Amino acid sequence: MDDTPITSPTALPALRVAAQEAGFTMSCEERTGSLLAVLAAARPGGRVLELGTGVGEGTAWLLSGMDGASRLVTVELDAGVQAIAREQLGSDPRATFVTANAGQWLEEYDGEPFDLVFADTWPGKFTHLEQALDLVAPGGTYLIDDLLPQPDWPATHEAAVKRLLSELEGRPDFRSVRLAWSSGLVMAVRGTPERTSLS
């Protein structure tokens, strides 16, 4: 079966050109993007959080799945990189772009929880995991990517991935699944209080 996405966001070609021109190589892989669009579509009127805007490829996928009542907050440290996403996607009223350190943002955020959290940067995944998981609403989804080994990984990164998986999968309030697909994903769903009590 060919798992190449059949459709893609209209902004994607321009974002890819801009990423190449900027030398940005860490964009969301398209199969991950297609999953993001489906997860966003499953939450009509949902609240979505993206940690790590990059040039906006993942952002574009999320927006392509969201309905008109959904809202997205996307956080990025690098203002220059995020400027590309703002230029291509900033006119969409559903999206709020935040230029900040995602770890600090997670520490300071005191608003409503989110139905979908996509952690595509270090904070919210390898650091500040607890804070990110606390922002997942009951029945909501937490998704992380880039977990399959890569040639350019630092020597200590494999151990960091193993610690992350152990910590996440040890949470009794989340049901998680590993996906050895795309760049390597883990998807975790926060149980409702009723489901958690029955497990």
Side-chain angles (χ1 to χ4, degrees):
M1 182 179 67
D2 183 2
D3 61 359
T4 304
I6 298 172
T7 60
S8 60
T10 56
L12 203 58
L15 289 170
R16 287 177 172 170
V17 170
Q20 186 172 12
E21 292 174 348
F24 186 81
T25 60
M26 297 180 289
S27 289
C28 171
E29 202 270 345
E30 65 178 7
R31 289 174 297 170
T32 300
S34 66
L35 177 59
L36 288 173
V38 170
L39 292 174
R43 292 289 183 171
R47 292 175 45 78
V48 181
L49 172 64
E50 178 185 36
L51 300 172
T53 313
V55 300
E57 291 192 33
T59 313
W61 282 105
L62 286 165
L63 289 170
S64 74
M66 290 164 49
D67 69 2
S70 296
R71 295 294 179 264
L72 166 67
V73 176
T74 180
V75 184
E76 171 61 47
L77 175 63
D78 188 329
V81 168
Q82 194 186 59
I84 297 171
R86 287 177 182 266
E87 180 180 354
Q88 294 291 330
L89 305 169
S91 63
D92 192 319
R94 300 172 298 168
T96 299
F97 291 87
V98 178
T99 305
N101 179 292
Q104 184 176 353
W105 186 90
L106 285 167
E107 291 172 0
E108 297 176 354
Y109 178 79
D110 62 354
E112 295 179 54
F114 295 87
D115 301 299
L116 172 60
V117 174
F118 175 45
D120 193 22
T121 189
W122 207 265
K125 183 162 43 174
F126 295 108
T127 69
H128 300 84
L129 176 63
E130 188 76 21
Q131 289 91 336
L133 294 177
D134 284 347
L135 293 185
V136 180
T141 300
Y142 169 82
L143 184 73
I144 51 177
D145 62 351
D146 300 332
L147 299 176
L148 288 177
Q150 300 296 320
D152 60 348
W153 272 11
T156 59
H157 194 62
E158 184 175 356
V161 170
K162 289 180 179 178
R163 283 194 300 273
L164 167 63
L165 294 175
S166 176
E167 185 173 353
L168 179 57
E169 293 170 349
R171 294 274 305 230
D173 50 341
F174 281 83
R175 174 64 63 90
S176 60
V177 59
R178 300 185 188 190
L179 303 172
W181 170 81
S182 185
S183 63
L185 312 175
V186 170
M187 183 167 62
V189 174
R190 183 172 210 142
T192 62
E194 295 79 10
R195 288 180 181 174
T196 302
S197 67
L198 293 173
S199 62

